[in-house]
Amino acid sequence: MVIEMVIAGVCVIGLFAALGLVLVLMERRVAAWIQIRLGPNRVGPKGMLQSLADTVKLLVKEGMTPNGADKFLFNFAPFIAMMVAMLLMAPIAFAKDFQLWDLNIGVLYFSAISSIMVISILMAGWASNNKYSLMGAMRSGAQIVSYELSAGLSILAVVILTGSLNLNEIIQSQADGWWIFKGHIPVIIAFIIFIIAVTAETNRAPFDLAEAESELTAGFHTEYSGMKFALFFLAEYINVFIVCAIGATLFLGGWMPFHIGHWEAFNHVMDYIPSSLWFFGKTFFLIFLIMWFRWTFPRLRIDQLLNLEWKYLLPISMFNILLVTLMAILGWHF
Amino acid sequence: MSNNSNYKDSSSIPPLASGGGGASSSGGGALQYLKDVFNGLKSLATGLRRTLYYFTHHKEIITEQYPENRDTLNLPERFKGEVVMPHDENNEHACTGCTACELACPNATIKIITKFDITPEGKKKKALDKFVYHLELCTMCNLCVVACPTDAIKMAQTFEHSVFDRSELTKILNKPGSKIREGIE
Ligand code: SF4
Ligand code: SF4
């Protein structure tokens, strides 16, 4: 038992490091190409080692704590961000029969734990004793609390159709087609709302008001430097990965290969592609989608942000839930 | 999709941009609401299409790979690097020493020092002695070039201006021994 835990822990930390390096590089590359630039191209072949060099730089930097800060909370906040990210890794099914923790309320667990994220941001903003940090943290609080509603409701659409909160059962229910295809327009709407809401929940542009570097210097992590800053930075990317993994699991079938109804021959061919490839392929597709948003849309103002949630996303997703329920009762999906 | 900033025409503004008070959604009822959502999604899609086009068209990359291509640099026409005073083959320039550039400069970058030449007819005539140019103060705003009535100065495209001693950045633009070209008043 203990050995299993240690192995799992090492794997998760290894995955974190790898994901951090890959996603940061990917983000910079996507950003560059969208802005008709080349992106990092100095360190290593085609700039592949750039994020490694940045990590080393951050590691050797001094992690300062401001004099006026609440020392304990200030130093503790980045670790909460990390812990939340680690906990969220538990229920994700990376491949067929490859999951850290197969619990029967996986979806609920995900929504519950991901809300703790905001505590680390609030903590960091408050403890920094800096008006920019505090403002960023408060914005982030308002933002995450409101967008969690529509994220939850859009997840619920799939839960209604499957009748289960277990991520494995949700994946199994997509063996004859992913929900995004089986669920008609309501699930597509739910998917769009899910993507918008999780972009907001992970504090990424166009919803990066917590950071808003043009108004708030760096928002809630203005006072952080060195490795403590790196932890926040890493947590952001891990969270993007996690929400995309959950999105892929719920709407795109997780590790389930692309199957069409009862075309046995076609389905068999698809099964030859390893399930982990399917999972990572879908997840990285969603990550690309979120990065694409970031480099296309301008940042919203706080009132626009709340408008979007309360006047558009929430009413639409509530109506959508009704539709999905009707669909599930009448059996209008394949 | 026109993204003009005409805030009175609420129908052309996607819901994301309608912001304060949501004027476009409160007025028109359910139909207007759906129209807002649709227009918003459409304008977002327009933006996404544009960035996807750039993402997939690497040939259009506009940045220069300096310093590797130092010899083949392709500087845009409007790039401004430093103020220079062109001299012709007789070491003559077109500056009358009128100080219009000095007055135009917002940073006091230019100092015109004049002298009095004696013309063949024995008259005294104002002429340029030294055109002192402080590169370290210049913001390349081009105002001096525009102000000059005789087009005596222009912007050059040089840009590697780093030096170890600040005083090297103070330059005398008229070459030693140069004089004003015949016929320029
Ligand atoms: S370019 Fe502008 S700042 Fe520079 S010398 Fe001319 S007027 Fe002055
Ligand atoms: S450079 Fe032009 S504006 Fe300046 S002093 Fe000479 S003639 Fe006058």
Side-chain angles (χ1 to χ4, degrees):
Chain A
M1 191 64 188
V2 176
I3 293 179
E4 270 178 31
M5 279 184 188
V6 171
I7 292 175
V10 171
C11 284
V12 168
I13 292 174
L15 183 68
F16 270 31
L19 274 180
L21 297 181
V22 171
L23 288 180
V24 171
L25 189 71
M26 177 175 164
E27 170 108 274
R28 296 183 62 179
R29 195 61 78 181
V30 170
W33 285 355
I34 281 181
Q35 296 169 347
I36 346 183
R37 296 184 285 117
L38 282 179
N41 64 348
R42 299 282 151 165
V43 191
K46 291 207 168 271
M48 292 297 191
L49 302 180
Q50 182 64 54
S51 40
L52 204 64
D54 288 344
T55 313
V56 173
K57 180 195 77 177
L58 283 169
L59 273 172
V60 297
K61 278 203 172 174
E62 185 186 357
M64 288 204 287
T65 310
N67 267 341
D70 183 330
K71 301 243 166 13
F72 175 69
L73 290 185
F74 184 85
N75 291 317
F76 192 44
F79 292 99
I80 293 203
M82 252 2 236
M83 277 191 269
V84 171
M86 277 193 190
L87 285 175
L88 284 174
M89 280 284 173
I92 294 177
F94 292 95
K96 196 168 193 235
D97 303 322
F98 189 90
Q99 195 179 16
L100 282 180
W101 188 17
D102 181 14
L103 77 171
N104 57 0
I105 48 161
V107 176
L108 182 65
Y109 175 87
F110 164 75
S111 336
I113 299 291
S114 63
S115 352
I116 301 179
M117 190 65 208
V118 69
I119 297 200
S120 81
I121 294 181
L122 281 173
M123 206 185 247
W126 178 258
S128 296
N129 198 8
N130 172 323
K131 57 183 180 252
Y132 293 132
S133 304
L134 186 60
M135 207 113 76
M138 288 303 158
R139 282 179 179 188
S140 171
Q143 176 179 334
I144 293 186
V145 166
S146 17
Y147 276 80
E148 221 150 59
L149 287 171
S150 34
L153 286 176
S154 53
I155 291 176
L156 219 51
V158 173
V159 173
I160 290 172
L161 288 172
T162 335
S164 168
L165 286 167
N166 184 327
L167 285 176
N168 253 330
E169 276 175 36
I170 291 179
I171 294 173
Q172 288 302 343
S173 73
Q174 305 183 67
D176 56 344
W178 307 341
W179 276 121
I180 189 129
F181 300 125
K182 282 202 299 179
H184 306 302
I185 291 174
V187 174
I188 293 177
I189 295 177
F191 177 69
I192 294 173
I193 291 177
F194 177 81
I195 290 290
I196 297 176
V198 295
T199 312
E201 271 196 64
T202 46
N203 283 322
R204 285 176 61 82
F207 304 107
D208 60 340
L209 287 115
E211 216 180 303
E213 69 277 1
S214 50
E215 314 154 24
L216 298 181
T217 320
F220 68 95
H221 58 58
T222 305
E223 296 287 0
Y224 284 86
S225 55
M227 217 41 215
K228 282 181 252 171
F229 163 74
L231 285 183
F232 274 123
F233 196 62
L234 189 61
E236 176 186 330
Y237 282 97
I238 304 289
N239 281 327
V240 170
F241 174 81
I242 289 167
V243 296
C244 288
I246 293 286
T249 306
L250 293 177
F251 296 97
L252 304 179
W255 50 259
M256 189 58 81
F258 183 64
H259 285 171
I260 302 180
H262 299 290
W263 297 13
E264 299 300 339
F266 177 81
N267 293 353
H268 262 298
V269 174
M270 284 294 163
D271 284 341
Y272 276 109
I273 302 175
S275 57
S276 56
L277 268 191
W278 278 106
F279 172 77
F280 280 102
K282 292 170 195 177
T283 308
F284 272 85
F285 167 72
L286 290 187
I287 293 175
F288 170 73
L289 213 63
I290 285 187
M291 288 183 177
W292 185 15
F293 290 165
R294 167 159 185 184
W295 298 104
T296 305
F297 302 139
R299 185 186 307 124
L300 273 69
R301 274 199 323 259
I302 185 79
D303 61 320
Q304 292 169 333
L305 178 98
L306 296 177
N307 246 353
L308 176 69
E309 163 65 15
W310 296 101
K311 285 191 178 163
Y312 293 91
L313 293 188
L314 191 62
I316 292 174
S317 44
M318 281 188 167
F319 182 70
N320 200 35
I321 283 285
L322 271 181
L323 275 185
V324 172
T325 317
L326 208 66
M327 221 170 75
I329 293 172
L330 299 177
W332 277 352
H333 53 90
F334 302 119
Chain B
M1 181 85 201
S2 65
N3 261 338
N4 54 13
S5 53
N6 181 0
Y7 272 76
K8 274 178 210 114
D9 178 14
S10 63
S11 66
S12 76
I13 301 170
L16 296 188
S18 66
S24 55
S25 59
S26 56
L31 201 65
Q32 183 63 40
Y33 179 86
L34 289 179
K35 223 168 111 188
D36 278 350
V37 173
F38 178 74
N39 280 338
L41 287 176
K42 205 172 111 190
S43 77
L44 292 184
T46 312
L48 286 174
R49 212 167 46 232
R50 178 90 311 229
T51 42
L52 190 66
Y53 172 83
Y54 285 144
F55 184 77
T56 49
H57 288 69
H58 301 180
K59 282 204 195 68
E60 297 194 10
I61 281 174
I62 49 171
T63 44
E64 297 277 338
Q65 295 311 299
Y66 179 82
E68 278 85 4
N69 70 345
R70 194 159 176 265
D71 303 321
T72 56
L73 262 185
N74 177 22
L75 290 173
E77 191 191 322
R78 284 164 59 189
F79 172 73
K80 305 188 192 80
E82 132 183 60
V83 175
V84 292
M85 179 178 285
H87 288 62
D88 61 12
E89 61 279 8
N90 304 328
N91 202 13
E92 288 173 340
H93 55 73
C95 176
T96 59
C98 72
T99 71
C101 52
E102 183 178 340
L103 293 173
C105 180
N107 307 326
T109 306
I110 297 172
K111 186 91 195 98
I112 305 286
I113 300 172
T114 51
K115 60 179 178 190
F116 284 99
D117 273 353
I118 310 292
T119 56
E121 296 94 62
K123 267 193 259 167
K124 268 193 180 173
K125 189 172 169 236
K126 198 166 148 197
L128 179 70
D129 184 22
K130 276 186 183 135
F131 189 113
V132 185
Y133 170 59
H134 293 274
L135 177 56
E136 74 271 30
L137 299 179
C138 181
T139 55
M140 318 300 165
C141 68
N142 206 33
L143 286 174
C144 52
V145 176
V146 173
C148 179
T150 55
D151 288 335
I153 44 178
K154 62 168 196 172
M155 302 296 302
Q157 296 211 316
T158 49
F159 60 93
E160 288 159 329
H161 291 316
S162 311
V163 288
F164 284 102
D165 186 355
R166 199 181 152 176
S167 63
E168 287 171 50
L169 291 171
T170 303
K171 304 185 177 184
I172 313 286
L173 290 193
N174 55 325
K175 290 189 191 155
S178 64
K179 60 180 194 304
I180 186 164
R181 204 173 296 140
E182 283 297 314
I184 291 180
E185 289 301 323

